[in-house]
Structures are given as C-alpha cells and as structure tokens.
Amino acid sequence: MIIKSAELETVCGITSVLPDNELCEVAFAGKSNVGKSSLINGLLNRKSLARTSSSPGKTQTINFYNVNKELYFVDLPGYGYAKVSQEIRAKWGKMIEKYLHTSKQLRVVFLLIDIRHAPGENDKIMYDWIVANGYEPVIIATKLDKIKRSQKDKNIKIIKEKLQLSGNAKIIPFSAVSKQGRDEIWDFIQRSIAD
C-alpha cells in the first residue's frame, strides 16, 4: 500500500458519539506499552502521527486515522495500565465494547502482544472479549527486534498457548525498527477490506 495521505480525523472520548463512517475500519488493541503508536506510524510511514510516549496509558480516546481517504485505522485505548483508576479503566472498557458493538465498517481487529513476555490476564480478557464480539483477532507480536532470532518460535508458541488460540489463528511478528511484518500486515488489511 502506497500511503498518499494519513491524518487524525476523529478523536472520541468517554462521552463522545462514535462516527458513522462510510469507509472500512481496521482496529488496533493492546496493552498500554505494547508499541501500538509505533506500529501505526510504521504502517503509515510516519514518524509521529500516532503519538508515542515514554509514559504508558497515553491513548485514552478512540482515534480514527483516515488513510488515503480509503480506510480508517482505529486506535483503541491501551489497557492494563496500573496508574489509571479502576473507574476510568471500566469506562475505557465500555467505550471499546461500544465501538466493537456499533461499528458497521469494522473489518478486522489486530491485538498487539509484546513478543518478549507471555500474554497476561488482561491480554487474555481482551482476546476473549474481541472473540465474544464476533471478531477473530489477528495477533501482532510486537518488539521483534528486542529478542534473539532463535527465541522467536518459542515465544510465539507461548503466545498461542496462553491465549488458547485455535490452530488457524494468525500471528504476525513485527518490528518497528526493521519494519519486518509490515508488508504481511498490509496484505492482510487489503484482503480484509476487499471482501
């Protein structure tokens, strides 16, 4: 995919009305510090369209990025960040659930998991929740450049076991540094929006 334009078009907070978009949507979910902004920037060939931060929990809104006026990247709030109150976390959860329930254009949900660590309880809850809302999430195993090549298969196997993935579940290892996995993710997105 050649990126001609990419812009943050809509930002929805806890009380916002979600946009009724005409274009296909592709959503990204993941823990607060899993590298969601780096992935989105990497896919869009932008340095800082999605804001990366050294302090996790930055994305507290649902952000809609218009890509080439052809589709939307939907950046969901990061979960599992301890410094946020239980009440706010519950509201984020409701916001994400509302989005998954009401979007008419959502084609695929990518769930980001840090390849260096076994998925935690929050990851499993999020995975099960996406499935319960009728989607088969595609796992993006981020931070691939931070492990040795020899660890990749073992770590992917751990992700599969912890999330109890089905045999045909898709896992795409990704590195924001080398951009490994970028083309595979784009191929998947293009197939998803072509259906």
Side-chain angles (χ1 to χ4, degrees), residues 122-134:
N122 285 326
D123 295 314
K124 177 71 174 131
I125 290 168
M126 188 53 137
Y127 176 80
D128 291 344
W129 203 29
I130 295 166
V131 171
N133 278 286

Side-chain angles (χ1 to χ4, degrees), residues 4 6-7 18 26 35 42 45 56 65-66 74 90 100 109 118 121 166 170 175 194:
K4 300 186 195 80
E7 58 191 353
L18 291 165
V26 173
N45 287 332
Y65 296 92
N66 187 323
V74 183
L100 292 176
V109 182
E121 187 188 355
S166 63
K170 188 142 190 65
S175 163

Side-chain angles (χ1 to χ4, degrees), residues 38-109:
S38 299
L39 169 73
I40 290 170
N41 289 330
L43 289 172
L44 298 177
N45 287 332
R46 297 292 190 273
K47 284 217 166 12
S48 57
L49 182 65
R51 302 244 167 71
T52 56
S53 167
S54 53
S55 57
K58 208 66 176 150
T59 307
Q60 301 182 11
T61 50
I62 298 180
N63 297 334
F64 291 81
Y65 296 92
N66 187 323
V67 182
N68 287 351
K69 310 216 174 340
E70 285 175 40
L71 78 148
Y72 285 99
F73 274 14
V74 183
D75 185 6
L76 299 173
Y79 56 83
Y81 185 49
K83 282 194 182 159
V84 174
S85 76
Q86 198 65 44
E87 183 190 355
I88 290 179
R89 270 187 284 184
K91 283 181 178 165
W92 285 355
K94 284 195 174 68
M95 191 161 69
I96 295 170
E97 190 167 30
K98 182 173 148 194
Y99 169 70
L100 292 176
H101 272 312
T102 58
S103 170
K104 297 183 189 79
Q105 300 297 344
L106 181 58
R107 296 293 179 267
V108 63
V109 182

Side-chain angles (χ1 to χ4, degrees), residues 127-150:
Y127 176 80
D128 291 344
W129 203 29
I130 295 166
V131 171
N133 278 286
Y135 297 94
E136 180 61 52
V138 175
I139 307 300
I140 298 179
T142 60
K143 310 199 182 195
L144 180 62
D145 47 279
K146 297 193 185 299
I147 61 167
K148 294 190 181 93
R149 195 172 287 176
S150 60

